[in-house]
């Protein structure tokens, strides 16, 4: 039996039913579960012989969730900035030119960035190398949802290697889910990927629903993400993505939809009625001018009780993976757009990063709060930093002042992945060297060298 004791923490933010914050708090971990939470002096003597993590000057949280990332795009960071129509010309161009070595490097680098930002659990809505992503998770120790992209509506510009029939897309999706769902001691959930609703035929979407039911899996994908695909959906189907999914009998509580800004109020009500989960990525919208804050319906969905969580998107979309920064952009963006300083609070955002992230990924029974019996996924932040001081309200500072770089220690399933700012599961220096070399070759192979050039001369 292994035991870890995080003791004398300045704050333990439990996210339990009463939302207690414990001063001079302790979290005891026994194997892969939370064994106790409370005041240090009341509990520590029960766990003699445990490995000690000093929580002085630290804030302890349930492990943080990032419910929208694209690990395969990590080597393309910064390509396609400040332009329209980036998806086929840049994002997919990078993915289509990758080999398996590039993919493994990209996934490792992505997961390293997540660990360094305090993330313990992520959701990736699809790529064509999901088995390699699982390999990277085995190494990094992270928890998450991964999926294999399924599309059968092949628009002009779709890379040839990605073109599939409906039967091929379903068969390959089923093969992946059957092999990987609930593997790595339950750290991996393999879901069905609706990468983009407008890229899926009605037959494919119905098939995805059947696959999800057969394997007890979820469906994850982009919907109502921006103006262009929303207009396309209305022109082709006479309705938006959510209404179409409802018509096809696919919309349901096992579905996590991403962005979800360009929907109408009838569709908002469908989301509520079907208990659909929603991930919002404000940084991606800010970077790509998607209009997801000024057009978004997050306040209406929140008011109806829809489960909302936060995502970073990708190194080629939002360009950084840091859910704490996303929390600031989400709250601040909506306060500005609606001109209401009380619309969302820091407490709302912290719930989105923790318990609501767990609900979004159908993991709330085991994750999302620091409670006895739940899985030992823990994020510890260093608050002895200038941006944190003074700490009048730790939750306010967490959302309005902090960033992922404050992460000090990350624990998943009772295993320490990062301690004292040092990642223990991945070789950072070697990975950075490999990533630079592979990215340079990949960009040349994709013919995107000009996309990476600044307007300012490099001398």
């Amino acid at each position: 039996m292994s035991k870890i004791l995080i003791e004398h923490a300045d704050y333990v933010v439990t996210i339990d039913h009463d939302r207690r914050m414990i001063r001079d708090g302790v979290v005891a971990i026994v194997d892969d579960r939370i064994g106790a939470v409370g005041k240090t002096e009341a509990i520590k003597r029960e766990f003699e012989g445990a490995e000690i993590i000093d929580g002085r000057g630290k804030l302890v949280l349930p492990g943080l969730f990032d419910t929208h990332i694209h690990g395969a795009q990590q080597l393309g960071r910064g390509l396609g900035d400040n332009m329209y129509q980036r998806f086929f010309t840049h994002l997919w161009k990078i993915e289509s030119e990758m080999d398996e070595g590039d993919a493994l490097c990209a996934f490792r680098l992505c997961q390293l960035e997540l660990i360094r930002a305090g993330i313990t659990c992520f959701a990736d809505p699809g790529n064509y190398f999901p088995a390699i992503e699982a390999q990277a998770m085995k190494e990094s120790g992270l928890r998450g949802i991964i999926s294999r992209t399924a599309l059968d509506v092949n628009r002009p510009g779709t890379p040839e290697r990605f073109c599939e029939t409906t039967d091929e897309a379903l068969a390959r999706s089923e093969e992946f889910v059957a092999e990987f769902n609930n593997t790595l001691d339950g750290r991996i959930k393999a879901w069905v990927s609706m990468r983009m609703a407008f890229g899926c035929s009605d037959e494919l979407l119905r098939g995805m629903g059947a696959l999800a039911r057969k394997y007890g899996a979820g469906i994850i994908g982009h919907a109502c993400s921006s103006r262009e695909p929303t207009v396309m959906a209305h022109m082709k189907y006479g309705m938006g993505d959510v209404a179409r999914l409802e018509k096809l009998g696919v919309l349901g509580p096992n579905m996590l939809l991403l962005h979800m800004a360009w929907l109408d109020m009838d569709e908002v009500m469908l989301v509520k009625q079907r208990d659909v989960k929603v991930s919002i990525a404000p940084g991606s919208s800010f970077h790509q001018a998607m209009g997801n804050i000024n057009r978004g319906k997050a306040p209406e969905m929140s008011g109806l009780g829809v489960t909302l969580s936060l995502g970073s998107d990708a190194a080629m979309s939002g360009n950084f993976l840091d859910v704490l920064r996303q929390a600031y952009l989400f709250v601040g963006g909506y306060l500005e757009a609606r001109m209401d300083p009380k619309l969302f609070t820091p407490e709302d955002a912290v719930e989105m990063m923790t318990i609501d992230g767990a609900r979004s990924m159908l993991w709330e029974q085991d994750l999302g709060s620091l409670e006895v019996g739940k899985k030992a996924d823990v994020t510890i932040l260093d608050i002895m930093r200038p941006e944190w001081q003074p700490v009048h309200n730790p939750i306010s500072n967490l959302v309005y002042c902090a960033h992922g770089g404050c992460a000090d220690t990350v624990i998943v399933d009772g295993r320490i992945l990062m301690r004292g700012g040092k990642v223990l599961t991945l070789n950072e220096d070697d990975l950075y060297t490999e990533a630079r070399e592979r990215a340079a070759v990949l960009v040349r192979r994709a013919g995107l060298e000009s996309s990476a050039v600044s307007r300012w001369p490099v001398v």
Side-chain angles (χ1 to χ4, degrees), residues 316-365:
M316 294 185 70
S317 296
N319 288 33
F320 64 87
L321 309 182
D322 183 345
V323 77
L324 287 171
R325 288 177 68 188
Q326 300 298 338
Y328 174 78
L329 293 175
F330 172 81
V331 174
Y334 271 107
L335 301 192
E336 166 69 12
R338 301 292 180 94
M339 293 176 26
D340 181 351
K342 297 184 178 181
L343 188 62
F344 287 112
T345 68
E347 289 82 2
D348 296 328
V350 174
E351 290 177 342
M352 292 171 73
M353 293 186 284
T354 55
I355 191 63
D356 289 336
R359 290 190 181 109
S360 293
M361 297 172 68
L362 308 184
W363 241 321
E364 69 270 25
Q365 297 304 313

Side-chain angles (χ1 to χ4, degrees), residues 244-278:
R244 181 181 171 218
L245 292 168
E246 168 69 8
K247 180 181 178 181
L248 295 173
V250 181
L251 204 66
N254 66 334
M255 180 167 275
L256 174 57
L257 297 181
L258 315 175
H259 296 302
M260 286 287 284
W262 292 75
L263 70 171
D264 59 33
M265 283 306 300
D266 287 341
E267 290 179 301
V268 168
M269 295 306 299
L270 286 174
V271 167
K272 166 60 179 175
Q273 292 164 14
R274 299 302 184 193
D275 192 20
V276 176
K277 316 307 190 290
V278 174

